[in-house]
C-alpha cells in the first residue's frame, strides 16, 4: 500500500491543477476583434445573427504544448455554414490577419467532434467515430468539449464520449501554440464559450535517460569488474548477476527457465541472480528495440551485470563467407 500511495502522489505531482482561462467577466488574457467578441452572462460570445462576413478568432495570449483543455460551447444560427471551433497549438497569420493556422476541434455544421487543420493543411484530419456524435451533441444547447494534446497524440471528447483519437505523423508540425475560439464566416450565427479550463501536462513526455535506465536497475551503477575465468574454466563469484542476451532460443528459455535452473543448481553456494534481456528480433548484425531503451552498455551497467551469456548467429551462420566481416 505504501508503494501505491507513493505512485499516486507522483502521478498527481506530474500534472498541474486545472487553471481557468476566463474570469467570466472580461476578455482579460484574450485578444481579438472586440466588435465580434464580448462577454454576456458569464460566457464569451462571438458573432452576430445579422451576419458574419469572415472567420474570426479570439485567442489566448499564452502558448501551450501538452495539456487537457475543457470548456462548454453553444452554437445557434439560421443561415449559411453555421460553424465554430476551438483552435489549439495554433498561430495567427499575417495575411489574412483574421485567420489562424493549426489544429481545430470543430463545432457545428455536422462536424462537431471532428479534428480539422485550419489554414495549414486545410482538411479534416479525422472525422468523429461513426455513430458517436449522433445523439451525443445537443444542438443549440450547452455541450462540453475536452481536448487532450499529449505529444503526437490528440484526443477529442464531446459530452464525455471519445470522438477522435489521432496521432500526428508529420514531424515538422508544431507541438505548441495558441488556444483560440472561432466563429466561422459566411453565416448568421452566434457561438458562446464558458467554463474554459486548462490542465498543464509535462512538456517532456519522454522520460530522461536516468528514468529509462531505472527500468533495468540502478542507473548510477558503474561497470562491474571481476577476475577472468581461471584456466579458461567457467566459474562465477558470489552473488553475480548473469545476463542472458540473444534471440529466440533465449526468449523461449526465459519461459522454461532451463539455463537458470542448471546454473542456479550448479552454483547454489554462489547464489547468482539472473536477468533475461533476450529479444526475438535480435540478430548478430543489429538488435532493434522500441524507443527509449538506452544503449547496451548502460543497460548492462544498470543491471549490475557481471557475466553475460550471449547467443547470436544461429540463422545468420547460413549467410556464407561473404558476411563474415559483418558477423
Amino acid at each position: 500500500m505504501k508503494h501505491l500511495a507513493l505512485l499516486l502522489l507522483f502521478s498527481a505531482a506530474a500534472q498541474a491543477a486545472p487553471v481557468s482561462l476566463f474570469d467570466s467577466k472580461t476578455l482579460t488574457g484574450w485578444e481579438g476583434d472586440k466588435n465580434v467578441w464580448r462577454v454576456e452572462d458569464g460566457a464569451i460570445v462571438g458573432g452576430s445573427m445579422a451576419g458574419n462576413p469572415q472567420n474570426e478568432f479570439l485567442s489566448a495570449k499564452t502558448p501551450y504544448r501538452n495539456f487537457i483543455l475543457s470548456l462548454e460551447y453553444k452554437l445557434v444560427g439560421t443561415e449559411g455554414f453555421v460553424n465554430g471551433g476551438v483552435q489549439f497549438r495554433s498561430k495567427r497569420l499575417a495575411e489574412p490577419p483574421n485567420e489562424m493556422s493549426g489544429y481545430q476541434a470543430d463545432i457545428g455544421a455536422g462536424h462537431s467532434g471532428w479534428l480539422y487543420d485550419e489554414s495549414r493543411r486545410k482538411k479534416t484530419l479525422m472525422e468523429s467515430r461513426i455513430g458517436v456524435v449522433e445523439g451525443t451533441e445537443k444542438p443549440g444547447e450547452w455541450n462540453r468539449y475536452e481536448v487532450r494534446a499529449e505529444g503526437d497524440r490528440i484526443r477529442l471528447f464531446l459530452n464525455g464520449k471519445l470522438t477522435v483519437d489521432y496521432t500526428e505523423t508529420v514531424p515538422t508540425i508544431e507541438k505548441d501554440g495558441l488556444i483560440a475560439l472561432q466563429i466561422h464566416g459566411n453565416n448568421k450565427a452566434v457561438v458562446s464559450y464558458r467554463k474554459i479550463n486548462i490542465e498543464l501536462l509535462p512538456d517532456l513526455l519522454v522520460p530522461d535517460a536516468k528514468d529509462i535506465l531505472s527500468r533495468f536497475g540502478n542507473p548510477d551503477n558503474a561497470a562491474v569488474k571481476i577476475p577472468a575465468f581461471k584456466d579458461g574454466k567457467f566459474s562465477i563469484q558470489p552473488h553475480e548477476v548473469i545476463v542472458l542476451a540473444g534471440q529466440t532460443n533465449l526468449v523461449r528459455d526465459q519461459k522454461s527457465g532451463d539455463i537458470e535452473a542448471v546454473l542456479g543448481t550448479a552454483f547454489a553456494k554462489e547464489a547468482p541472480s539472473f536477468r533475461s534481456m533476450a529479444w526475438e528480433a535480435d540478430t548478430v548484425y543489429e538488435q532493434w528495440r522500441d524507443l527509449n531503451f538506452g544503449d547496451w552498455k548502460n543497460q548492462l551497467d544498470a543491471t549490475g551485470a557481471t557475466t553475460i551469456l550471449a547467443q547470436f548467429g544461429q540463422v545468420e551462420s547460413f549467410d556464407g563467407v561473404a558476411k563474415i566481416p559483418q558477423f
Side-chain angles (χ1 to χ4, degrees):
M1 292 299 293
K2 289 182 180 178
H3 295 299
L4 177 59
L6 287 172
L7 178 60
L8 292 175
L9 285 171
F10 177 80
S11 297
Q15 292 184 201
V19 174
S20 176
L21 296 182
F22 172 48
D23 63 14
S24 301
K25 299 176 182 178
T26 70
L27 294 179
T28 301
W30 297 82
E31 56 185 9
D33 190 338
K34 299 305 190 293
N35 294 317
V36 175
W37 300 97
R38 64 267 183 197
V39 176
E40 296 178 0
D41 300 324
I44 294 176
V45 179
S48 170
M49 298 301 288
N52 303 298
Q54 62 183 15
N55 290 345
E56 293 288 352
F57 297 87
L58 182 75
S59 65
K61 296 179 180 179
T62 303
Y64 297 98
R65 187 175 182 88
N66 296 314
F67 55 83
I68 301 172
L69 175 70
S70 63
L71 55 80
E72 292 184 356
Y73 71 86
K74 179 169 64 174
L75 176 66
V76 293
T78 58
E79 293 182 20
F81 188 68
V82 179
N83 184 266
V86 180
Q87 294 292 134
F88 58 98
R89 291 182 174 176
S90 298
K91 63 181 180 181
R92 286 197 175 273
L93 297 180
E95 290 295 335
N98 62 295
E99 284 289 354
M100 292 194 73
S101 170
Y103 295 113
Q104 182 186 111
D106 220 332
I107 294 173
H111 299 130
S112 295
W114 295 18
L115 181 64
Y116 184 72
D117 199 1
E118 178 78 21
S119 296
R120 185 167 51 192
R121 286 171 284 192
K122 299 181 181 180
K123 67 177 184 178
T124 297
L125 299 176
M126 183 172 285
E127 297 183 7
S128 169
R129 298 185 306 163
I130 296 174
V132 170
V133 170
E134 185 177 351
T136 298
E137 188 185 33
K138 297 170 286 188
E141 300 181 32
W142 287 106
N143 296 273
R144 187 175 188 275
Y145 233 152
E146 185 176 288
V147 178
R148 291 177 176 248
E150 302 168 272
D152 290 324
R153 188 182 187 189
I154 294 170
R155 286 176 288 172
L156 304 183
F157 296 82
L158 180 58
N159 291 331
K161 292 187 177 181
L162 177 67
T163 61
V164 160
D165 191 342
Y166 173 79
T167 299
E168 182 58 69
T169 59
V170 180
T172 56
I173 295 295
E174 294 88 347
K175 290 186 175 62
D176 57 10
L178 300 174
I179 289 170
L181 311 173
Q182 185 210 39
I183 178 66
H184 206 282
N186 301 315
N187 62 30
K188 294 182 178 180
V190 172
V191 67
S192 303
Y193 302 92
R194 69 182 185 185
K195 300 180 180 179
I196 308 170
N197 297 299
I198 192 165
E199 183 176 350
L200 299 183
L201 303 176
D203 283 348
L204 185 64
L205 294 176
V206 176
D208 62 25
K210 195 166 185 176
D211 285 339
I212 292 167
L213 290 172
S214 67
R215 303 169 183 171
F216 302 98
N218 183 358
D220 295 323
N221 280 345
V224 180
K225 295 182 180 180
I226 61 172
F229 296 142
K230 187 176 180 180
D231 300 325
K233 182 180 179 181
F234 180 81
S235 62
I236 64 173
Q237 304 298 313
H239 307 295
E240 283 202 36
V241 176
I242 301 175
V243 171
L244 283 69
Q247 49 200 106
T248 304
N249 289 342
L250 288 186
V251 173
R252 292 173 179 170
D253 184 79
Q254 183 182 12
K255 298 176 182 179
S256 68
D258 290 341
I259 294 177
E260 181 176 344
V262 169
L263 291 177
T265 301
F267 297 95
K269 185 185 298 184
E270 288 77 12
S273 57
F274 298 85
R275 292 290 299 270
S276 177
M277 298 174 71
W279 198 268
E280 285 187 339
D282 280 357
T283 72
V284 72
Y285 308 121
E286 55 190 1
Q287 298 89 48
W288 283 98
R289 293 292 185 275
D290 293 334
L291 291 175
N292 309 320
F293 265 68
D295 63 37
W296 266 110
K297 182 183 183 305
N298 290 337
Q299 290 178 39
L300 293 169
D301 288 347
T303 64
T306 57
T307 297
I308 301 169
L309 299 182
Q311 181 264 320
F312 291 100
Q314 182 174 338
V315 174
E316 298 92 310
S317 63
F318 292 101
D319 289 343
V321 295
K323 279 292 192 82
I324 288 178
Q326 293 96 315
F327 192 98

